[in-house]
Each structure stands twice: as structure tokens, then as C-alpha cells.
């Protein structure tokens, strides 16, 4: 593998790792301000507004010559509604009804939903006779298993073990009302994952017709800010919650807007354009791993055996899925190269004198037969 090919293969991988690390920091900062009582929907509105303000000048400078069609604007509005406003709102309600660990674990289902939806829409193909397709299916199943392990098995704390009486409180059986909220929260989290997966597919369509990451993300953030503001005013008209209190809230909103909703969405849109929606969404489980490490190092929360085991399984599934995607890409590259060579060969044969035209036409689908090859060799030799 040459240096250029190595750069083309591993650059999207490196970009998605950095993106998920940045999103993990966003979650840590937002978790801090949420614990201090800041409103969820206010964060979404300010976050998207900061992203739009930050990216608009960059988009005007680099992509001002590209014309924006009405169909693209409609798709961007739909993308903002599906991938930002409704997704984050459903996740916030699901977080309120369940727990942070449970909600974060559901993000691991995004690659699975994206692959299934892409398969149903014909954007992904599965041929179980090829190793790449088997790897994609196996990786999807392993990711599902890792997510279930994270959800269903907590295990013993590996570091900073709590006193026994606190652990006993954590294992108390939930009441009927809590169980009902848990079920409702699970349904909302599943709906949020489906919408988030749909965003990758919508973004794949947008990137083909409008390959301008800065402009599309700026417009996306602008629409999301308006949608979130309207949703906030409909749910609660308390004006006091719009006031940011303290440096931490201001810095958290600015970082979440510039990095989380700005640069990260630009990078994800670029990766969707380069490698497709399934490849990009396959890195989503890394967010939970980074959050777990940052929770321990910054917020000093415990790390449990189930989280470590589930994360290892998810990484394995993600690696298998990415291996299948890379092998599939190599197969398509080899096929395209072979087709180009065949086309060039046919053009050369067409320009060669004394070559029967019916012999050239017979190559169309199935290639030359042995008899035709001998006839062609004799003809070319004589000419």
C-alpha cells in the first residue's frame, strides 16, 4: 500500500475518532451544566445558533460560488428536523425517564439501524457468498450483542468501589411506575436512534447533490436553532431559562455549538460523502467509551465490569463491520479497474484493421471464447 492510498484509507478513520472524542467532551460539559439546572431545550437552541453563526462566514468565503437549489433547502430543513431537533428532544426525554448510562448505551444501536435502513433502501447490498457481506452482517450482530451486554449487565465496580449500603440501594427493584417510565423511555430512545440513523441516510443524499459541508451544516444549524426555539416556546414560555448563568454554562454552550454541532457535523458530512452512512455511523459506539474514560478522570464516576466488557464487544463488532466495508470497497475498485481495462481493450480492438466487428461485439457480456481468441490472434498477426 502506497503512502497516498494509506492516507486515503485511514484519514476518514482518524477523523471519526477525533469527532467522537470531541463529542464525548461535549457530553461531559453538558452533563455538568445540566446537573446545575440548565434547561435542555435552551442548550439545543443556543448550541445550534452558535454553530450557524460560526460556520456562516466560513461557508460564504469557501463555498459562495455554489448555487443552492430549493430542493436542497427542503432536504436540509428535513435533515435538521430529523437529525437534530427531534432526535435530541427524544433523547432528552428518554434520559429523564431512564438513566444516563442506559441512554448512552442506546447510541450503540445507531450503526445497526443505519445498516438495516440502508439495506432496505438499496444503499447497501448483502451477498452472503462474499466475505465482505458476511463480515458486515457478523459485525452488526456483534454490535447488537455488545449493546445488550451494556444494557443488561452492570457487574462489579472496577475502581472506587462504593460502600455496601449504597450498592444495595442501586440494586433495589423498581416500582411499577418506575418500570412504566423505563419502558416509555426505552421506546423514545429507540425512536431517537432511528431518527439519528435516518439523518445519515438523508445526509448521504444531500452530499451527492450539494457537496458543500460548511454551507450545508450552517444552514442545518440555522434551521435546527429555529425549530428548537419554537419547540421551547411551545413547551414552556418561561423567559428566565434563556439567561446563561456563569462561565461554565457560557463556555459549554459555545464549545457545544462550535465543535459539537459545527465542526463535528462538517466532519461527519465529509465522511458520509467519502465512505457512506454505514461507515460513519459505525463509529458512534466510541462516544460511550470516551465518555466512560472522561467520567472517571474528570467527574470521578465509577467504571463497571459490564461497561468494559460491552465496550470491548462493540469495538470488535465495529472492527468487523469496517473490515467488511473496506473489503467491499476493494472489490468495487478492482471491478471498476477491470471494466475500464476491458473498455480500453475493446476500443483498441475497434481501431485495429482487419478485426471482424462481429468478433468484437461478441465480447459484450461474457468475454472471448477460446476459438474467438485464436481467430483474433491470427487476424491481428496477419494485419
Amino acid at each position: 500500500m502506497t503512502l497516498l492510498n494509506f492516507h486515503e484509507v485511514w484519514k476518514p478513520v482518524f477523523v471519526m475518532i477525533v469527532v467522537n472524542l470531541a463529542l464525548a467532551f461535549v457530553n461531559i460539559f453538558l452533563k455538568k451544566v445540566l446537573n446545575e439546572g440548565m434547561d435542555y431545550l435552551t442548550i439545543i437552541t443556543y448550541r445550534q445558533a452558535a454553530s450557524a453563526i460560526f460556520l456562516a462566514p466560513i461557508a460564504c468565503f469557501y463555498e459562495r460560488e455554489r448555487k443552492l437549489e430549493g430542493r436542497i433547502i427542503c432536504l436540509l430543513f428535513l435533515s435538521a428536523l430529523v437529525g437534530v431537533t427531534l432526535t435530541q428532544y427524544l433523547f432528552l426525554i428518554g434520559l429523564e425517564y431512564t438513566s444516563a448510562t442506559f441512554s448512552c448505551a442506546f447510541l450503540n444501536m445507531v450503526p445497526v439501524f443505519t445498516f438495516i435502513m440502508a439495506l432496505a433502501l438499496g444503499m447497501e447490498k448483502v451477498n452472503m457468498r462474499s466475505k465482505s457481506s458476511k463480515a458486515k452482517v457478523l459485525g452488526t450482530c456483534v454490535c447488537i450483542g455488545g449493546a445488550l451486554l451494556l444494557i443488561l449487565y452492570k457487574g462489579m465496580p472496577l475502581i472506587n468501589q462504593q460502600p455496601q449500603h449504597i450498592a444495595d440501594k442501586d440494586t433495589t427493584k423498581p416500582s411499577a411506575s418506575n418500570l412504566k417510565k423505563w419502558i416509555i423511555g426505552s421506546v423514545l430512545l429507540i425512536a431517537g436512534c432511528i431518527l439519528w440513523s435516518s439523518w445519515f441516510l438523508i445526509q448521504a443524499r444531500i452530499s451527492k447533490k450539494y457537496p458543500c459541508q460548511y454551507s450545508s451544516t450552517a444552514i442545518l444549524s440555522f434551521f435546527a436553532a429555529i425549530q428548537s426555539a419554537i419547540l421551547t416556546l411551545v413547551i414552556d414560555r418561561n423567559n428566565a431559562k434563556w439567561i446563561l448563568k456563569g462561565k461554565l454554562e457560557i463556555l459549554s454552550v459555545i464549545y457545544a455549538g462550535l465543535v459539537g454541532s459545527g465542526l463535528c457535523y462538517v466532519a461527519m458530512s465529509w465522511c458520509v460523502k467519502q465512505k457512506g452512512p454505514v461507515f460513519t455511523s459505525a463509529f458512534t459506539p466510541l462516544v460511550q467509551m470516551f465518555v466512560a474514560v472522561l467520567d472517571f478522570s474528570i467527574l470521578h464516576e465509577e467504571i463497571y465490569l459490564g461497561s468494559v466488557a460491552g465496550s470491548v464487544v462493540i469495538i470488535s463488532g465495529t472492527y468487523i463491520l469496517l473490515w467488511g466495508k473496506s473489503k467491499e470497497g476493494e472489490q468495487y475498485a478492482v471491478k471498476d479497474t477491470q471494466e475500464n481495462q476491458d473498455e480500453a481493450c475493446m476500443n483498441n480492438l475497434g481501431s485495429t484493421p482487419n478485426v471482424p466487428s462481429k468478433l468484437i461485439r461478441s465480447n459484450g457480456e461474457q468475454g472471448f471464447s477460446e476459438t474467438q481468441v485464436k481467430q483474433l490472434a491470427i487476424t491481428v498477426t496477419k494485419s
Side-chain angles (χ1 to χ4, degrees):
M1 180 181 293
T2 63
L3 182 60
L4 180 60
N5 292 334
F6 181 84
H7 181 267
E8 292 178 354
V9 171
W10 287 102
K11 184 179 179 180
V13 176
F14 176 76
V15 168
M16 287 308 303
I17 292 175
V18 173
V19 164
N20 284 278
L21 180 60
L23 291 176
F25 276 105
V26 170
N27 291 334
I28 293 297
F29 290 139
L30 293 183
K31 186 176 181 180
K32 292 278 289 185
V33 297
L34 287 174
N35 291 338
E36 296 180 2
M38 190 173 180
D39 183 70
Y40 292 128
L41 292 175
T42 304
I43 293 176
I44 298 175
T45 305
Y46 279 133
R47 174 180 177 177
Q48 301 305 321
S51 173
I53 294 173
F54 170 68
L55 291 176
I58 301 176
C60 291
F61 182 78
Y62 287 103
E63 302 169 347
R64 61 180 180 272
E65 297 180 356
R66 188 69 184 239
K67 294 182 179 180
L68 190 63
E69 300 178 357
R71 180 184 296 181
I72 301 300
I73 296 177
C74 294
L75 285 176
L76 288 171
F77 183 87
L78 177 63
S79 179
L81 182 64
V82 171
V84 180
T85 306
L86 293 179
T87 298
Q88 293 187 16
Y89 182 63
L90 290 175
F91 267 104
L92 292 175
I93 301 177
L95 176 64
E96 182 181 359
Y97 283 173
T98 57
S99 66
T101 303
F102 191 82
S103 302
C104 191
F106 261 95
L107 289 175
N108 303 314
M109 303 299 294
V110 171
V112 178
F113 287 135
T114 305
F115 176 71
I116 294 174
M117 295 172 66
L119 186 63
L121 294 175
M123 301 176 68
E124 286 285 332
K125 296 181 180 179
V126 173
N127 182 10
M128 294 308 296
R129 289 180 292 182
S130 66
K131 292 182 179 180
S132 60
S133 297
K134 292 179 181 179
K136 289 192 295 184
V137 174
L138 178 61
T140 302
C141 295
V142 172
C143 283
I144 294 176
L148 293 176
L149 181 61
L150 280 169
I151 296 171
L152 301 177
Y153 178 66
K154 186 175 183 180
M156 59 179 292
L158 300 180
I159 304 174
N160 293 337
Q161 295 190 9
Q162 295 178 342
Q164 186 63 34
H165 67 280
I166 299 179
D168 293 338
K169 290 181 180 180
D170 292 338
T171 57
T172 303
K173 292 183 179 180
S175 61
S177 60
N178 291 335
L179 181 60
K180 183 178 179 180
K181 287 184 177 181
W182 196 270
I183 295 174
I184 295 174
S186 301
V187 174
L188 293 174
L189 290 172
I190 292 175
C193 287
I194 293 175
L195 290 177
W196 182 233
S197 301
S198 302
W199 179 85
F200 287 102
L201 302 179
I202 296 173
Q203 197 62 33
R205 184 175 180 181
I206 293 175
S207 62
K208 291 181 179 179
K209 298 182 179 180
Y210 187 71
C212 301
Q213 282 78 33
Y214 294 108
S215 300
S216 61
T217 307
I219 298 172
L220 180 86
S221 301
F222 174 74
F223 284 147
I226 296 177
Q227 295 165 358
S228 302
I230 294 174
L231 185 61
T232 305
L233 295 175
V234 169
I235 295 175
D236 188 3
R237 297 186 179 182
N238 184 12
N239 295 327
K241 64 183 180 181
W242 291 98
I243 302 175
L244 298 178
K245 303 174 184 178
K247 295 181 180 179
L248 180 61
E249 291 188 359
I250 297 175
L251 293 177
S252 298
V253 169
I254 292 176
Y255 178 80
L258 301 186
V259 178
S261 297
L263 297 178
C264 286
Y265 270 73
V266 170
M268 285 189 292
S269 300
W270 178 82
C271 286
V272 169
K273 178 183 175 182
Q274 297 294 322
K275 294 292 185 177
V278 175
F279 175 90
T280 308
S281 64
F283 287 86
T284 305
L286 293 179
V287 175
Q288 185 178 13
M289 293 186 55
F290 291 138
V291 167
V293 175
L294 294 174
D295 273 344
F296 170 72
S297 58
I298 298 177
L299 301 180
H300 305 291
E301 295 189 1
E302 294 182 346
I303 298 177
Y304 292 90
L305 178 61
S307 299
V308 175
S311 299
V312 171
V313 175
I314 288 174
I315 288 180
S316 302
T318 304
Y319 176 80
I320 295 173
L321 179 62
L322 293 177
W323 182 86
K325 288 292 295 180
S326 64
K327 287 297 180 182
E328 185 180 57
E330 292 177 1
Q331 292 175 0
Y332 284 141
V334 172
K335 183 178 179 180
D336 292 339
T337 303
Q338 185 176 4
E339 290 178 354
N340 293 333
Q341 291 177 351
D342 292 342
E343 184 178 357
C345 181
M346 292 302 300
N347 293 333
N348 293 333
L349 290 176
S351 60
T352 302
N354 300 327
V355 177
S357 59
K358 64 179 181 179
L359 186 58
I360 298 176
R361 289 195 302 267
S362 65
N363 182 49
E365 295 291 336
Q366 300 176 352
F368 292 112
S369 65
E370 184 178 357
T371 305
Q372 291 172 338
V373 170
K374 293 180 180 179
Q375 294 177 355
L376 180 60
I378 296 174
T379 304
V380 173
T381 303
K382 290 180 178 179
S383 62

